[in-house]
């Protein structure tokens, strides 16, 4: 059974995933990194060359492959739960934990970042507010568990996740 982390950009999926992997001795896979390695391109380059909808197809192909893994910690990309098909693959391979953060937390953690194509905008907080309110229902629907990931350190969040299992 894989432990799969989902949530909005900046919620801490990759950082917490790596920490959990260290703690549990499981292997860690970051979905975005997996796609970057498969395509030999950065996420930004993929968005620039192929556009978001093709990125979503690559994402689904990668999820299909990753869902065959066992006992891994997997950090998803923030939009990976938007497709019903993806959720089907993920649910068949493990339990999904939603790391919930507020728009302000996501804003603070992503405002200096240049690696997320969807957040390269002038009105960042407004964009995050809007995306998050549209996506919240998808995170809630996909998740088996939800953890508040706003004002806690990594150790505490990891402990809460491990207590779930
Ligand atoms: C995206 C989130 C990113 C990455 C891509 C699209 C999204 O992953 O997959 O830029 O749609 O939320 P992180 O959540 O790891 O930043």
């Amino acid at each position: 059974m894989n432990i799969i982390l989902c949530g909005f950009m900046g919620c801490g999926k990759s950082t917490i995933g790596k920490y959990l992997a260290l703690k549990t001795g499981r292997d860690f896979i970051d979905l975005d990194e997996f796609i970057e390695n498969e395509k030999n391109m950065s996420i930004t380059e993929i968005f620039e060359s192929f556009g978001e909808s093709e990125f979503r197809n690559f994402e689904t192909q990668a999820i299909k492959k990753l869902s065959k893994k066992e006992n891994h910690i997997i950090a998803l990309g923030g939009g990976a739960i938007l497709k019903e098909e993806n959720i089907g693959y993920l649910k068949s391979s493990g339990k999904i934990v939603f790391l919930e953060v507020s728009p302000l937390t996501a804003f603070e953690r992503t405002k200096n970042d240049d690696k997320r194509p969807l957040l390269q905008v002038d009105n960042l907080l407004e964009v995050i507010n809007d995306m998050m309110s549209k996506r919240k229902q998808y995170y809630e629907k996909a998740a088996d568990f939800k953890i508040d990931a706003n004002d806690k350190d990594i150790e505490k969040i990891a402990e809460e996740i491990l207590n779930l299992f």
Side-chain angles (χ1 to χ4, degrees):
M1 188 211 63
N2 295 309
I3 298 177
I4 302 163
L5 305 179
C6 81
F8 200 81
M9 293 172 268
C11 71
K13 301 177 292 285
S14 304
T15 314
I16 293 162
K18 277 179 202 150
Y19 182 81
L20 275 177
L22 269 179
K23 272 269 186 209
T24 57
R26 291 172 177 234
D27 287 329
F28 171 72
I29 301 180
D30 182 277
L31 176 63
D32 283 337
E33 269 176 28
F34 185 85
I35 298 168
E36 290 181 324
N37 291 337
E38 289 252 300
K39 301 292 168 195
N40 208 14
M41 292 168 100
S42 69
I43 297 295
T44 301
E45 287 166 345
I46 294 175
F47 268 72
E48 276 170 9
S49 305
F50 301 106
E52 181 178 351
S53 80
E54 193 58 10
F55 168 74
R56 297 296 171 201
N57 292 334
F58 296 160
E59 196 172 43
T60 299
Q61 289 161 16
I63 288 173
K64 201 171 168 183
K65 284 187 191 161
L66 292 188
S67 61
K68 302 206 169 66
K69 304 273 182 197
E70 295 215 4
N71 294 321
H72 280 56
I73 309 281
I74 299 176
L76 299 177
I81 42 58
L82 296 174
K83 272 198 210 168
E84 191 83 36
E85 184 185 0
N86 296 354
I87 299 181
Y89 294 130
L90 293 166
K91 288 234 178 251
S92 71
S93 89
K95 294 287 179 202
I96 305 179
V97 182
F98 169 27
L99 302 178
E100 188 171 44
V101 290
S102 69
L104 206 54
T105 302
F107 171 76
E108 288 300 333
R109 294 190 192 160
T110 58
K111 65 183 179 193
N112 296 321
D113 176 280
D114 61 359
K115 295 193 175 57
R116 292 179 170 104
L118 298 177
L119 300 185
Q120 304 313 304
V121 294
D122 293 330
N123 54 340
L124 182 59
L125 185 54
E126 211 179 301
V127 166
I128 289 178
N129 259 315
D130 187 50
M131 283 177 82
M132 215 185 263
S133 64
K134 288 188 182 124
R135 286 182 174 189
K136 192 173 158 59
Q137 55 179 319
Y138 292 91
Y139 295 124
E140 301 269 359
K141 194 169 151 225
D144 296 290
F145 306 104
K146 177 163 82 171
I147 298 239
D148 177 353
N150 281 293
D151 299 312
K152 298 173 195 157
D153 55 27
I154 296 167
E155 289 83 355
K156 174 84 178 86
I157 296 171
E159 186 191 315
E160 286 185 28
I161 294 173
L162 291 177
N163 283 340
L164 297 170
F165 294 98

